[in-house]
Each structure stands twice: as structure tokens, then as C-alpha cells.
Amino acid sequence: MIQKTENSFQIGGIDVKDLCNKYDTPIYVYDTAVMKTQYEKLSNAFGNRKPKIKFACKALNNINVLKYFRQLGSGLDCVSIQEVWLGLKAGFQPHEIMYTPNCVSMEEIDLAVKEGVQINIDNTSILEQFGTKYGSKIQVCVRINPHVMAGGNLNISTGHIDSKFGISIYQMRHVERIVKTTGLVVNGLHMHTGSDILDVEVFLRGAEILFEQTEFFKDLQFIDFGSGFKVPYKPEDYYTDINELGQKLGARFIEFCKSYGRELDLWFEPGKFLVSEAGTFLVKVNVLKQTTAAVFVGVDSGLNHLIRPMLYNSYHHITNVSNSNGVPRIYTVVGYICETDTFAWDRKISEVKEGDILAFHNAGSYGFTMSSNYNSRFRPAEVLVHEGKDFLIRKRESMEDILRNQMEVL
Ligand SMILES: *Cc1c(COP(=O)(O)O)cnc(C)c1O
């Protein structure tokens, strides 16, 4: 998180200009103090009944970040076998890892079974194959689609009727048949209905639907309520009230456990909530280009480094670190990629000059992990600010990285 002091901007106590001089731009900078604050906020929201938190690795997968969350006591949520391997490399125990793939092959699931992680299955075809193969030997979690429309954006909502995720609540009879026939032991139920869910009621509605499905599942050890908490993107923006969630869902969960007849664990698997605000993406202004229509600010980055604005129309607040007290002017901030890669239309930013440093806020989640080499550009460096010191945690790429794995045959 970038903070303004009297005459500079800092991340975790370190001057942003110093970071840019030392590591050059563009760079992603992450602040562990913010990760810790967020982790503890969620962890403490449920009173003394602490939820189990599984950090969603796809949001930010640098191994140092994974290790840091492990130190905080977190588990890991993985959506691919590669993320599972990364998590194991970071030191997570297999039982601390939840593997929630979508539309992967049975072969990939076999690999995850071999690693001993918790498997979460999201379709009846694989559930049947899994049951036939492993029977009661390997316990599984079942991902349910409660058909709760969450968040305003269909691209990041996963619980609606047209979604490819989860097993529909209307298919529970079929699940029951598969479980009975194969002897599968279902140890968890899971839902994840999307991202940017502001309303606590959406979680509660989803929870009720999940509770209703538990009647048939007698071996449950946990219920995973997924994630999708909304974080603030602008000054004074709305965000999910985690304490309200903790109070309401916590109380309801205690009630539910009583009627179920056993104490279950309550799980969450947040990505964005834990790391979005912890990250800042710093770029330099290459050119100011006045056209007939707008004043474009062209920066030394593009959709190859931060694709969320182009992919989801996401808002990233932009601060001119080099001139914070200037007169606000209206700009359209664009990248250097040969493709329309607009970060922000008609944005008021303190007067910009060529060479200025701009900071994109909320860049910790789905920033670097969605980056690419498009236009044969290098992916940026990543820097971690931890306990008042800065560490390079990923080198900027070079031509070697661009050519790696290419076979010259001509
Ligand atoms: C992406 C994802 C998450 C994390 O979502 P956020 O919006 O970043 O909190 C959690 N669980 C699953 C299964 C996911 O695919």
C-alpha cells in the first residue's frame, strides 16, 4: 500500500522514488505488513472460532509471498497441479493445500492425489471416475454451485446459472447416487461464487444453501465458503464488511454445527482480500501525446503487465508519485503495446510530465500472475518490502527468457 508522507510517497516505510532508482521501472512492490493486517482482520472476525484461511495462490504466486502466508498460519488454495507443486516447494504440508481445479483431466487429479493434498471436485463425471478409482480410500470435497448471483461482473462471477463452475444444487440426487455406489467419503463442501461480492447477505444466502445440502453428507469435516470479498479500489470506496460477515456467519455456523451434530471447520480461500491492497505497480511516463480527442499518457508498461483494466474493466487508482501536489488534469493512461491497452479513460491525475512515476494501486492480486510476454516484452521485477527493508524477489526478465524453450531449427 502506497502512503503519502509530507514530501514523498512510501511503501512500508521505503521511499518510492528510491525503489524506482534502485530497481528501475516497471516494478511490482508488495508490502507484507498489509498482508498481515488483512490476514488478521479475517482471522479475528469470527471471535474465538477462528476460520481456516487458505490463501488463493493464483492471485499472487511469488514463492516468498507463499512462504510469508505460511508463516502467518495460512494454508493454500490451488487451482492447478503446478500451483500445488509450488505450494509444496514453499513448505506447505499436503493437508494444508486445497486443490480446486476446473475442467482438468483425471490424470491431473491423480497427480494431486499422489501429493496427498485435499481434492475438491466440481463435476459429476470426474466425481464418478474418482469414486470408481479410489472409493473410500481418498476423501474428497465437493464444489457446489448454489446459483447465487454474486458481484456485478459476469466475468468474475462463478455462481450464476450459466457458470461452468461447481456441481449444481439441482444435481445433488446424482451426487448422492455416485457417493452411495462408489463408497466415496465426502469430507467437505465448498462454494466459491465469484469476486467483488460486497453484500454479506450473498454469503449468508450461499451458506444456507450449502447447509441444506449437508443432510446427505455424514462425514463432513469442513465447509469452505470460498471467497470473493470486495476490497476498496478508490478512496472512500465500498468493501465487504468482514466483521459483519464474521458475526453473522459465525453465529449461524455455530447453530448449524449443533444441528449437524459435530463441530466442523469453517474455511475461506481469499486471494484479493489478502494481497490486492498490499501491491503497487510502479511505471514511468514515456510520452505525453495530445491528439484531437484526448491527452494520452503513455507509460513503460501495458496489458502485458497489468491486464485487469482491459480484461475486466477493473478500476485501478493512479497516483502521480512525482508530482502529488500539482493541478489535477484529465488524462487517458495507456500502455506501449501494439493493441488498444487503456488503463484508464478520463482520469484526473495531478499534472503529469514525461519521466514521472505513476503508481497503480490494488496491484497485488491478479497483476503479475496474469502478466505475459506479449510483444516480446520482459515481465517486470517484483520487490517485497518486509520489516522496513526491500528485497528483489523476482528479477526483471531478459532476452534469455524470451528465447528460453525456443528451438532454432532454421
Ligand atoms: C480465484 C479463486 C479464489 C480467490 O478469489 P478472490 O476473489 O481473489 O478472493 C478462491 N477460490 C477459488 C476456487 C478460486 O478460483
Side-chain angles (χ1 to χ4, degrees):
M1 191 176 281
I2 188 161
Q3 269 151 343
K4 192 168 192 266
T5 63
E6 211 169 307
N7 41 24
S8 72
F9 283 91
Q10 297 190 338
I11 297 174
I14 297 186
D15 196 291
V16 167
K17 280 185 195 151
D18 292 345
L19 289 171
C20 292
N21 288 335
K22 186 166 172 186
Y23 300 107
D24 207 355
T25 58
I27 38 169
Y28 277 98
V29 184
Y30 313 120
D31 181 354
T32 54
V34 179
M35 298 177 195
K36 185 165 191 235
T37 306
Q38 292 298 98
Y39 184 85
E40 288 176 351
K41 227 187 262 177
L42 181 58
S43 183
N44 295 330
F46 290 77
N48 50 20
R49 190 192 190 88
K50 288 206 187 304
K52 285 202 174 158
I53 299 173
K54 314 263 159 186
F55 170 54
C57 166
K58 75 178 190 287
L60 178 55
N61 69 356
N62 190 288
I63 194 156
N64 298 281
V65 172
L66 305 190
K67 284 181 169 180
Y68 185 66
F69 276 110
R70 200 182 146 258
Q71 281 175 28
L72 292 179
S74 181
L76 206 62
D77 182 72
C78 298
V79 294
S80 70
I81 188 67
Q82 290 80 7
E83 286 188 352
V84 168
W85 290 331
L86 198 56
L88 292 169
K89 182 112 176 71
F92 286 94
Q93 296 297 307
H95 73 268
E96 296 167 330
I97 296 178
M98 172 74 148
Y99 170 63
T100 300
N102 174 259
C103 291
V104 303
S105 66
M106 192 59 203
E107 285 74 30
E108 182 169 323
I109 291 177
D110 288 338
L111 291 174
V113 169
K114 223 180 260 168
E115 301 293 355
V117 300
Q118 171 70 51
I119 311 283
N120 189 8
I121 293 183
D122 100 324
N123 65 83
T124 49
S125 169
I126 292 285
L127 191 70
E128 186 179 319
Q129 293 174 56
F130 191 93
T132 305
K133 184 157 189 176
Y134 297 108
S136 61
K137 285 203 287 275
I138 308 284
Q139 308 195 341
V140 287
C141 177
V142 171
R143 177 172 186 171
I144 291 178
N145 186 340
H147 302 305
V148 178
M149 177 61 197
N153 188 336
L154 269 185
N155 290 316
I156 52 177
S157 177
T158 57
H160 58 91
I161 193 81
D162 291 325
S163 168
K164 67 166 185 164
F165 296 98
I167 298 175
S168 166
I169 42 169
Y170 303 112
Q171 290 176 294
M172 284 305 117
R173 273 298 283 154
H174 190 193
V175 170
E176 220 177 300
R177 288 214 152 81
I178 293 170
V179 170
K180 266 204 186 117
T181 314
T182 60
L184 262 178
V185 179
V186 177
N187 64 349
L189 291 184
H190 167 276
M191 70 167 190
H192 173 66
T193 52
S195 231
D196 278 357
I197 308 167
L198 180 59
D199 194 350
V200 166
E201 296 302 321
V202 171
F203 284 96
L204 294 173
R205 233 181 302 142
E208 288 308 326
I209 293 170
L210 232 54
F211 294 153
E212 281 169 27
Q213 314 308 319
T214 58
E215 203 179 325
F216 169 71
F217 300 101
K218 290 297 166 213
D219 306 306
L220 295 181
Q221 285 154 17
F222 65 90
I223 295 190
D224 184 342
F225 292 98
S227 170
F229 310 127
K230 183 175 173 350
V231 297
Y233 292 108
K234 310 175 190 179
E236 285 150 49
D237 196 2
Y238 298 105
Y239 50 89
T240 313
D241 186 338
I242 292 298
N243 284 325
E244 185 192 348
L245 178 78
Q247 279 160 18
K248 290 189 175 164
L249 185 58
R252 183 64 189 93
F253 194 71
I254 289 171
E255 232 178 75
F256 161 74
C257 287
K258 267 196 201 126
S259 68
Y260 186 73
R262 180 148 26 104
E263 288 297 306
L264 302 187
D265 285 328
L266 191 160
W267 290 19
F268 284 108
E269 42 187 43
K272 191 180 284 179
F273 178 80
L274 295 177
V275 294
S276 174
E277 293 161 276
T280 309
F281 185 47
L282 300 169
V283 302
K284 191 180 285 164
V285 176
N286 280 338
V287 66
L288 271 174
K289 178 169 176 174
Q290 166 94 60
T291 69
T292 49
V295 182
F296 287 101
V297 173
V299 301
D300 63 351
S301 179
L303 62 75
N304 52 326
H305 297 158
L306 180 63
I307 201 174
R308 299 185 71 249
M310 304 88 189
L311 192 63
Y312 304 135
N313 212 11
S314 339
Y315 180 98
H316 285 268
H317 200 66
I318 301 172
T319 300
N320 184 353
V321 168
S322 304
N323 182 27
S324 68
N325 297 320
V327 181
R329 306 278 308 262
I330 297 167
Y331 299 102
T332 292
V333 181
V334 295
Y336 58 12
I337 291 294
C338 289
E339 196 87 48
T340 298
D341 57 346
T342 309
F343 289 111
W345 280 104
D346 303 331
R347 191 67 71 78
K348 263 194 188 163
I349 303 171
S350 172
E351 185 155 16
V352 176
K353 292 186 304 299
E354 292 175 0
D356 281 357
I357 302 292
L358 303 186
F360 288 82
H361 300 224
N362 288 88
S365 55
Y366 309 105
F368 188 92
T369 52
M370 282 195 171
S371 66
S372 75
N373 289 121
Y374 189 46
N375 282 196
S376 304
R377 295 282 183 186
F378 305 147
R379 266 179 281 226
E382 290 180 294
V383 171
L384 191 72
V385 176
H386 179 59
E387 294 175 351
K389 289 200 201 95
D390 51 278
F391 302 91
L392 184 65
I393 55 170
R394 190 189 303 257
K395 288 193 284 188
R396 188 179 307 288
E397 286 182 339
S398 64
M399 275 320 286
E400 264 172 50
D401 297 297
I402 301 292
L403 286 165
R404 176 169 300 136
N405 297 338
Q406 295 202 40
M407 312 292 284
E408 270 192 84
V409 295
L410 295 180

